[in-house]
Amino acid sequence: MALEAAGLSGAPVVRPRRRAAGTVVPTLLSLAGLVALWALAAAFADSRVLPSPAAVLAAGWADTVTGELPFNLAMTLGRVAGAFVIAMAAGTAIGLAMGLRPRLNRFFDPWLILVLNVPALVVIVLAYIWFGLNEAAAIGAIAVNKIPNVVVTMREGARALDPQLAEMARVYRFSALDRLRHLILPQLQPYLAAASRSGLSLIWKIALVVELLGRSNGVGFQIHLYFQLFDVAAILAYTLAFVAVMLLIEFLLVQPLEARATRWRRRPA
Amino acid sequence: MSNPSKPAPPAGAGAPPEPSGALAVRIHEKLFRAADGGLVRAIENLAFEAPKHGFTALIGPSGCGKTTTLRILLGLDADYRGEVRLPEPEGRVAAVFQEPRLLPWRDVETNVRLALPLELKGANLDALFAELGLDAMRTRFPGELSLGLARRAALARAFATEPSLLLLDEPFVSLDEMTASRLRALLVSVWSARPTTALMVTHNLREAVELADRIVFLTPRPGRLRGVVDLDRPRESRDAVWREATLRTIDDAYPGIL
């Protein structure tokens, strides 16, 4: 962090917020254009395999009224949340250990490359065969697919830790908790943010496959069901409902958290 | 022990030469592994004492092991032959590094408070912040401070811990002369109000003559003791005339430093 030798400036300069009204309108216009294009294509095709936006909305509403869509959405969301927490915790611990201990890293690096390249489908199938068709195997399989990515990101984060600040903390005998809260985590924050961003999207895609192969509920199970019925409107309704939930998480949870964690960067000298 | 110009106390094996409470440094050898794999001798038979509650300056050319000596005293480097006796074996040691080393994501006050030991948590720091002119800066982030202010925050952090040994590594380097001299005056006043054994590494003899009770001179690498000069005159009566005369005397005895 550069400390300019310049004199004291007056009031802190606050940059305009990233998501100002000026960027919301173009985003909405762009999405509206996409829906219009879809509606046009559906009208031209006039086929069951490409339903119109209105038909998708109707299918979604029908399953919402029966409570089926919210229930399956919640089941998938629960699995995503469980797998996310497990993957982030395990991946961060392993990544930090490998980043801070070169010997450990040399030994386990080939394992990491191996796991990174095992197809998600293989992990899922093996988990169900070895541990049975149960919830633990399902969530575990999703987490195992994500862990190597978290490890790679957090290993970079551990390598970027500032040794000078670590020495300062040693001299002043920071407690282990203070060290974690005030020294390590703030430095890892950009890496944690990157890992969780890419993590959420990857995890929910894998969660659908896990549900399709071995669960009797969840968005993946429903999509499989409607695939057998050839009901494309319902398939799209479930997909869009889940994408909407993920977008809400991004805007209401991830972005405000990130803004809070990086507020010290926003006020330059 | 090679050439101490001031008769150093006899280098009796292990016998403490200064009354207890002083900082005693006795580094027989410190080696570094260079990038090409060879060993570089950074320090060789360096022994000196810093009197209790005195201000000692350590002066020597670049690469003579000054910073290495501080790192050994801070417990950041245990790979050396020799021994070090701190003023209080279990006492706290505080450091002001060349760079302020503040946590950029925490405000000034949090930075200071995080360094406090358990028994001082929640201490009233108003007087210390006021003395260092940091009153208005307590809620600022380090990135909003000038280098001079960041150094003051680092000084505040060091003094807030009420250390039994204070180590300073060129704390006024790369500041303009006006800021540096203001900071030196601040250091003297804060330190005088909170007596502690201080050891400051510097390459600036004028600074040492202004601040120190004792100046320890080191040779070029490998760092050895070149000599010790004690300055008995009280700091407040060290006027410009006295400082110039002292500088000249020291320059005659230890040429090449000014």
Side-chain angles (χ1 to χ4, degrees), chain B residues 109 112-113 116 119-130 135 138 160 162 194:
Chain B
E109 174 145 8
V112 173
R113 290 207 177 269
L116 294 179
E119 63 266 33
L120 289 177
K121 292 272 186 227
N124 185 342
L125 300 173
D126 294 352
L128 183 62
F129 279 124
D135 262 341
R138 292 165 80 146
E162 299 177 6
R194 298 164 182 77

Side-chain angles (χ1 to χ4, degrees), chain A residues 59 222-224 226-228 230-240:
Chain A
Q222 288 298 104
I223 287 177
H224 185 52
Y226 286 119
F227 167 60
Q228 284 164 338
F230 234 69
D231 187 344
V232 181
I235 291 175
L236 286 177
Y238 273 88
T239 310
L240 291 178

Side-chain angles (χ1 to χ4, degrees), chain B residues 3-6 205 215 217 226-229 249-258:
Chain B
N3 53 352
S5 70
K6 181 192 177 206
L205 185 57
I215 306 179
F217 293 95
R226 187 175 172 197
V228 174
V229 170
T249 319
I250 293 176
D251 191 41
D252 286 343
Y254 303 97
I257 291 169
L258 255 189

Side-chain angles (χ1 to χ4, degrees), chain A residues 190-204:
Chain A
Y191 297 89
L192 282 169
S196 37
R197 275 259 164 73
S198 67
L200 275 178
S201 57
L202 180 71
I203 279 178
W204 97 263

Side-chain angles (χ1 to χ4, degrees), chain A residues 180-194:
Chain A
L180 186 70
R181 239 187 91 194
H182 301 289
L183 182 73
I184 311 270
L185 284 181
Q187 292 187 74
L188 293 180
Q189 188 273 330
Y191 297 89
L192 282 169

Side-chain angles (χ1 to χ4, degrees), chain A residues 2 4 34 42-43 62 97 108 112 116 124-125 130 143 145 147 150 158 173 192 194 205 214:
Chain A
E4 284 79 27
L34 189 65
F108 285 110
L112 181 63
L116 262 174
I124 297 165
V125 168
W130 287 340
N145 272 304
I147 286 173
V150 182
R173 302 180 192 170
L192 282 169
K205 287 170 193 171

Side-chain angles (χ1 to χ4, degrees), chain A residues 235-256:
Chain A
I235 291 175
L236 286 177
Y238 273 88
T239 310
L240 291 178
F242 206 84
V243 168
V245 169
M246 298 309 274
L247 280 179
L248 279 181
I249 292 177
E250 165 79 18
F251 287 126
L252 299 183
L253 212 68
V254 178
Q255 289 200 359

